Amino acid sequence: MVGQTISHYRITEKLGEGGMGVVYLADDVSLGRKVALKFLPPHLTTDEEASKRFVLEAQAASALNHPNVCVVHEIGRTEEGQQYIAMAHYEGQTLKDRIRSGAISRDEALDIGRQVAEGLAAAHDKEIIHRDIKPANIFVTNRGRAVILDFGLAKLVGGLDLTKTGSTMGTTFYMSPEQIRGELTNHQSDLWSLGVVLYEMLAGRKPFEGEYEQAISYSILNTDAPPFDAESDAESALLAAALTKNAGDRIPNAAQMAEHLAALLGTGSAPSIKVVRKRAMRRPLIAAACIVGLVAVVSVVKYWPQPDAPRLVVLPFKTLGAEGFEHLETGIADDISTRLMAVKGLKIIAVSSGARLVNEGLSLTDIGQRLNVNHVLEGNLYVTDLEGEVQIRISPKLIRLSDESQVWAEAFEGDGLDFQPDVARKVVQALNVVLGESERAALELQLTDNDEAYQAYLRGELQATLDHTQAAHYERACELDPDFVKCHSALARVYSAMIFFGRADSVRAMRKRASVAAKRVGVLAPGSVDDYLASGYISYYADRDLEAALESFKAADRLGLADTDLLRAIGYTSRGLGKIDESMKALQRALELDPTDPLVMYNFAESYQALGQYDEALEWADRSIAAAPLHNGPYTSKAYFLTETGELGEARKLLESAPAFDSPVDEALDWIKIVHWGERDFESAYEKLENLDMASLEGRDKLEVQTMYARLHDITRRGSIQTADAWQRALDLTAPDDARGKMEAYAGLGQPDSVIALATRLRTSLGNEQFHSSATLWRIAAAFARVGEVERAIDMLEEIISLRFSWHRAPYVFESPELDWIREHPRFKALVERTR
């Protein structure tokens, strides 16, 4: 098949072949990435029902979005009807090959086990069981990341005849006792299999062996794993707890197993494990009877809760009738969805995920499969506006996706927006979920009695720009209803964010406005989620006190709010403090709520980039592109990552294929920073800037364009009057509190004393920030280099490469034209060599 094109995949080489099919390396010509195409053998997919089951399983697995689970991009069929899966391509080898090719260290074994446990925890949390964990289904990349392969295939292979000698010995070694007995299995079977894999890595041999499958099965059912020279009692206890015959006596879940493995590695802590007493060996006659039943072995289920457990997404309502009420579409859906999230018996996916898929034109069935939900709430909003008299009618429908039947539908009509509690209550009743008192109260909560204020608030939510325009909507809502708690909290967030993003005319005045809004929340609802959010966002955006911000966000989280924005905030803040594991857990929770959120995916990419793990960064960037194929943001993000690995040609191709930019300024600056800067194509960079209408620009856009123009002058026309004029114009545009902008301008004007003073101020302002600090330190280093403070510049660069998280550690970054001032210095040359 090499050389053929299947769909939009051009097959380039054969990677391997086994009982589960043939795997090829292919180029995805649509998105410019490499993928692995696995073509399944006909006997696994000719049965229509089995094939349908496989598709559903693989779609569920593709929604996991976890770094330790292989990414499933697509499932399809060739023109000849052969089924294939398009998966992420990784550089490395399977664990089976890894342990075959030589000894593996204890730390590497424990770390691989930890990563697999974390991947399983994410799968189990979504009620997906792998059922075939073994070394051949664990891939280890060249950078040491463990990835679980073949989710969704285990159910198909469950019908194979395991009594046929040699047919499945590779799998039988890792089967749990309950699988061998032909019982229904749950997540504990995966933990047993991982225990076997761990034992094999640590001991150098399998715990249960035999020359044929019946002998292996007998050993698993009746004998204990032989002891080996473990390094600690804790290590022995962990394996004993994982390989206990009775599933109920094993480690409770994969998350705890990951914690124990992290503790053994010295990177975490976990409670001690209670070692279960050995049980008496079963009589051979009973074991033989079990073996007779192996023909029907592995009759498994995907869910250990009931398969029809309510999993729901609320889709934006379609607005019909009067114009100007589009803010109600997502706003009303979000309101209903947030109420339903308080119900423990429901699993709710964020409205935003459903909205993205609706915009892609997907059917309800496809949306259900992509989001792994079994119910959808949709409907229409009919709005009439006769001389200011607004009448609203909503007609929600609850659809069961298994047969696309309508479970419940009802119409609500009136001149107010107070029907959300009724809709939420009726949905819960239709799904036969029993409510507790606190859940009932959450469903009934009314945000405001003032419809005009509510609509102003929803207009602000729809804006989502964190600027004066968005603030104006919230200000109007708070003016109409001074007791509107959530609106005051939103104002505190926007005001403080405007400080952070440089959109405040006066930092002091904006900080005061944010504080007033937060205090109002504290008076109206002390100790509430909104109270903690308001103070947390001020600490994060305005004060840059990340410890205080994280404390506030965690306090809000403990109150049980299921909110993607809050989880993102926890992820960003903990990452800023260097708590990368905590950050990724929060971001993973956010992704579970909003599985198609490209922003969360991008932040995973950003985290891996700062850790220097570029394979993972590029993989998450690809996910972000797939989640938002119509927006240029993910494309430019990936292009930045590519430049750091020196792949300028690939970065250029990606920008050329990106959707249209929202702003000509963004387009020009991204092209310059990503491509022209690295290629030192300054003529093209000048051309991009000169094509912009500078007179039409204002605020931050004008400053960024002028600063880039001045930098280009600095590089190409050093010491000229035009260069000084360009930097002076940039200085005139900086806000009073813009220390970084002023520092760069003073550097361009050749004023070292001013540069040193502002650099000291910037260095101090970093506070407890760790994650983004390298970007500020790099700008300081460039400014020092420009004014001849060579030793200071190199000291700063030394600090950057010593950071655990660094955006500017890659060798390519040191090729920047802005470091040409010090390029020939011996210390700088030695530093560059250290980064290669």
Side-chain angles (χ1 to χ4, degrees):
M1 296 185 74
V2 174
Q4 294 185 28
T5 298
I6 307 294
S7 182
H8 50 95
Y9 303 109
R10 184 173 60 249
I11 297 174
T12 57
E13 65 177 283
K14 183 176 179 180
L15 295 177
E17 184 173 1
M20 296 307 301
V22 186
V23 183
Y24 293 92
L25 180 65
D27 291 325
D28 183 340
V29 295
S30 295
L31 291 177
R33 62 185 175 189
K34 293 192 180 296
V35 299
L37 286 188
K38 173 171 280 191
F39 290 87
L40 302 181
H43 72 274
L44 289 183
T45 55
T46 50
D47 180 88
E48 186 175 344
E49 185 59 33
S51 178
K52 185 177 180 181
R53 276 201 318 270
F54 159 69
V55 170
L56 292 174
E57 291 267 335
Q59 285 170 335
S62 71
L64 286 174
N65 282 320
H66 192 277
N68 300 119
V69 175
C70 179
V71 181
V72 176
H73 295 309
E74 184 182 0
I75 305 159
R77 285 185 184 273
T78 65
E79 292 181 359
E80 294 75 24
Q82 188 175 10
Q83 201 155 22
Y84 66 84
I85 320 167
M87 304 173 293
H89 171 63
Y90 306 97
E91 295 289 342
Q93 60 185 160
T94 65
L95 180 59
K96 181 178 180 180
D97 292 331
R98 174 71 187 86
I99 58 182
R100 180 194 293 141
S101 60
I104 183 170
S105 71
R106 173 183 178 272
D107 282 357
E108 183 183 1
L110 294 175
D111 189 50
I112 290 172
R114 176 192 60 79
Q115 294 182 65
V116 173
E118 289 179 354
L120 287 175
H124 293 168
D125 190 52
K126 283 187 172 288
E127 302 160 0
I128 302 170
I129 310 169
H130 190 283
R131 310 180 191 92
D132 197 23
I133 293 295
K134 58 185 179 183
N137 282 338
I138 298 168
F139 196 89
V140 183
T141 71
N142 290 338
R143 295 181 179 272
R145 179 155 65 97
V147 181
I148 306 172
L149 307 177
D150 284 354
F151 265 103
L153 292 182
K155 195 163 196 173
L156 278 180
V157 301
L160 294 175
D161 182 358
L162 301 186
T163 60
K164 184 179 178 181
T165 302
S167 64
T168 56
M169 282 188 69
T171 289
T172 309
F173 283 120
Y174 306 95
M175 289 174 65
S176 66
E178 56 269 27
Q179 282 179 297
I180 287 180
R181 289 193 293 267
E183 299 170 357
L184 295 181
T185 57
N186 64 12
H187 64 293
Q188 289 289 351
S189 289
D190 281 349
L191 299 186
W192 168 281
S193 301
L194 177 54
V196 176
V197 173
L198 270 170
Y199 184 102
E200 186 174 1
M201 287 192 291
L202 292 167
R205 63 179 185 274
K206 295 180 177 68
F208 308 102
E209 298 190 293
E211 294 183 1
Y212 52 92
E213 289 178 38
Q214 288 88 341
I216 300 168
S217 300
Y218 180 87
S219 178
I220 291 170
L221 289 168
N222 297 284
T223 67
D224 293 313
F228 70 98
D229 188 19
E231 287 200 10
S232 67
D233 291 341
E235 190 175 301
S236 298
L238 175 62
L239 286 171
L243 297 178
T244 299
K245 307 293 187 188
N246 185 352
D249 291 335
R250 290 179 205 142
I251 295 175
N253 54 60
Q256 285 194 27
M257 194 165 190
E259 290 174 3
H260 287 299
L261 287 164
L264 287 173
L265 281 164
T267 59
S269 59
S272 60
I273 300 173
K274 179 182 178 182
V275 182
V276 180
R277 292 195 309 272
K278 294 180 180 178
R279 298 176 179 272
M281 185 182 293
R282 297 177 183 271
R283 295 199 311 242
L285 182 60
I286 298 175
C290 293
I291 292 170
V292 171
L294 281 174
V295 175
V297 81
V298 202
S299 174
V300 293
V301 291
K302 175 178 166 184
Y303 302 99
W304 55 92
Q306 292 301 311
D308 59 350
R311 299 173 62 86
L312 173 72
V313 63
V314 182
L315 300 181
F317 289 88
K318 299 171 187 173
T319 302
L320 306 173
E323 296 182 354
F325 291 88
E326 293 77 13
H327 56 283
L328 298 180
E329 295 182 345
T330 302
I332 296 295
D334 264 326
D335 193 335
I336 294 169
S337 183
T338 300
R339 296 169 193 275
L340 293 173
M341 282 180 176
V343 180
K344 295 176 182 176
L346 295 176
K347 176 68 175 177
I348 306 297
I349 298 298
V351 172
S352 47
S353 259
R356 292 184 196 100
L357 300 184
V358 168
N359 291 337
E360 288 182 28
L362 269 63
S363 67
L364 290 184
T365 301
D366 289 339
I367 289 172
Q369 290 175 348
R370 284 277 294 274
L371 300 181
N372 192 25
V373 296
N374 47 35
H375 289 82
V376 164
L377 182 70
E378 63 162 0
N380 295 324
L381 280 165
Y382 302 90
V383 184
T384 58
D385 186 0
L386 299 175
E387 298 180 356
E389 290 294 325
V390 177
Q391 292 285 320
I392 297 175
R393 181 174 181 267
I394 182 172
S395 56
K397 296 181 294 184
L398 182 64
I399 308 297
R400 181 172 53 235
L401 294 177
S402 60
D403 55 6
E404 297 193 11
S405 63
Q406 189 169 284
V407 178
W408 165 80
E410 194 170 331
F412 301 82
E413 188 170 5
D415 56 2
L417 289 165
D418 56 358
F419 43 72
Q420 295 91 323
D422 288 335
V423 174
R425 194 185 323 108
K426 294 293 180 66
V427 167
V428 172
Q429 290 172 359
L431 294 173
N432 298 314
V433 175
V434 179
L435 292 173
E437 277 304 315
S438 62
E439 294 169 320
R440 192 172 289 109
L443 290 186
E444 300 294 337
L445 182 66
Q446 199 72 22
L447 299 181
T448 175
D449 294 327
N450 187 311
D451 285 348
E452 194 177 347
Y454 182 63
Q455 291 204 54
Y457 170 75
L458 292 185
R459 286 188 171 96
E461 292 288 279
L462 183 65
Q463 193 76 31
T465 49
L466 295 174
D467 59 11
H468 288 286
T469 305
Q470 186 179 28
H473 291 299
Y474 293 140
E475 287 164 357
R476 175 61 177 158
C478 290
E479 178 186 332
L480 291 165
D481 181 1
D483 295 338
F484 195 162
V485 173
K486 193 166 285 296
C487 190
H488 288 291
S489 183
L491 267 180
R493 178 187 185 185
V494 174
Y495 287 150
S496 52
M498 287 167 67
I499 296 171
F500 181 76
F501 291 111
R503 295 166 182 161
D505 297 328
S506 166
V507 170
R508 181 176 297 179
M510 195 61 75
R511 175 64 174 78
K512 183 176 180 180
R513 294 167 79 177
S515 180
V516 168
K519 286 179 180 177
R520 182 63 179 161
V521 178
V523 170
L524 294 170
S528 66
V529 166
D530 290 305
D531 188 17
Y532 288 124
L533 286 178
S535 59
Y537 281 120
I538 290 176
S539 296
Y540 181 82
Y541 283 129
D543 301 339
R544 300 306 292 153
D545 184 347
L546 302 192
E547 291 284 2
L550 186 58
E551 186 177 339
S552 294
F553 292 143
K554 284 185 173 181
D557 189 40
R558 285 193 291 270
L559 293 178
L561 174 67
D563 181 80
T564 310
D565 286 339
L566 171 60
L567 291 171
R568 279 204 214 106
I570 293 173
Y572 302 163
T573 310
S574 53
R575 183 179 67 176
L577 290 167
K579 302 176 181 180
I580 196 69
D581 291 338
E582 189 173 327
S583 170
M584 288 191 168
K585 285 179 182 177
L587 291 174
Q588 181 61 37
R589 287 175 59 201
L591 206 54
E592 288 164 5
L593 276 177
D594 193 350
T596 67
D597 187 347
L599 185 58
V600 172
M601 296 174 190
Y602 165 68
N603 275 277
F604 270 113
E606 200 176 49
S607 297
Y608 282 117
Q609 177 207 20
L611 288 168
Q613 299 178 24
Y614 289 101
D615 288 348
E616 291 80 357
L618 292 172
E619 177 191 322
W620 278 98
D622 280 337
R623 295 190 192 192
S624 183
I625 289 172
L630 305 180
H631 193 273
N632 65 279
Y635 290 80
T636 56
S637 299
K638 181 181 178 182
Y640 273 111
F641 300 159
L642 287 169
T643 63
E644 291 207 9
T645 59
E647 298 183 58
L648 284 176
E650 293 300 315
R652 174 184 279 276
K653 287 179 186 176
L654 197 61
L655 281 186
E656 289 171 346
S657 66
F661 281 73
D662 296 330
S663 157
V665 171
D666 290 343
E667 181 174 11
L669 294 180
D670 281 339
W671 266 97
I672 292 169
K673 294 176 193 173
I674 295 171
V675 177
H676 301 323
W677 205 255
E679 294 176 344
R680 292 177 178 257
D681 180 5
F682 305 122
E683 184 176 340
S684 295
Y686 273 121
E687 184 181 345
K688 288 280 193 311
L689 293 181
E690 288 167 358
N691 285 337
L692 294 172
D693 181 7
M694 287 291 288
S696 68
L697 303 181
E698 57 183 37
R700 198 76 189 174
D701 278 353
K702 194 164 192 173
L703 173 61
E704 288 184 1
V705 171
Q706 182 59 52
T707 300
M708 179 57 73
Y709 187 68
R711 285 184 192 169
L712 286 168
H713 260 286
D714 220 2
I715 292 164
T716 58
R717 303 165 192 174
R718 289 176 178 170
S720 69
I721 294 175
Q722 297 98 321
T723 303
D725 287 345
W727 278 117
Q728 185 60 53
R729 286 194 293 274
L731 179 63
D732 293 342
L733 287 168
T734 56
D737 300 295
D738 187 358
R740 178 167 148 177
K742 289 184 182 299
M743 177 191 70
E744 293 178 345
Y746 283 130
L749 291 167
Q751 299 181 26
D753 290 344
S754 296
V755 170
I756 292 169
L758 286 164
T760 303
R761 176 178 156 193
L762 277 171
R763 186 73 183 79
T764 305
S765 71
L766 290 175
N768 50 12
E769 165 69 61
Q770 293 184 33
F771 190 78
H772 289 97
S773 59
S774 68
T776 300
L777 297 178
W778 199 92
R779 295 309 322 163
I780 294 172
F784 280 152
R786 174 64 180 81
V787 294
E789 292 288 333
V790 179
E791 297 299 328
R792 290 178 190 264
I794 297 176
D795 286 345
M796 200 62 64
L797 294 172
E798 291 270 10
E799 182 176 352
I800 288 170
I801 67 170
S802 71
L803 296 173
R804 181 187 177 196
F805 310 112
S806 176
W807 298 69
H808 299 80
R809 174 166 40 207
Y812 175 78
V813 174
F814 289 86
E815 299 297 324
S816 169
E818 290 183 274
L819 295 181
D820 284 355
W821 306 96
I822 60 174
R823 190 157 306 283
E824 298 306 314
H825 194 281
R827 271 189 72 197
F828 180 80
K829 287 182 175 181
L831 182 66
V832 172
E833 282 302 313
R834 283 170 51 195
T835 66
R836 294 191 186 281

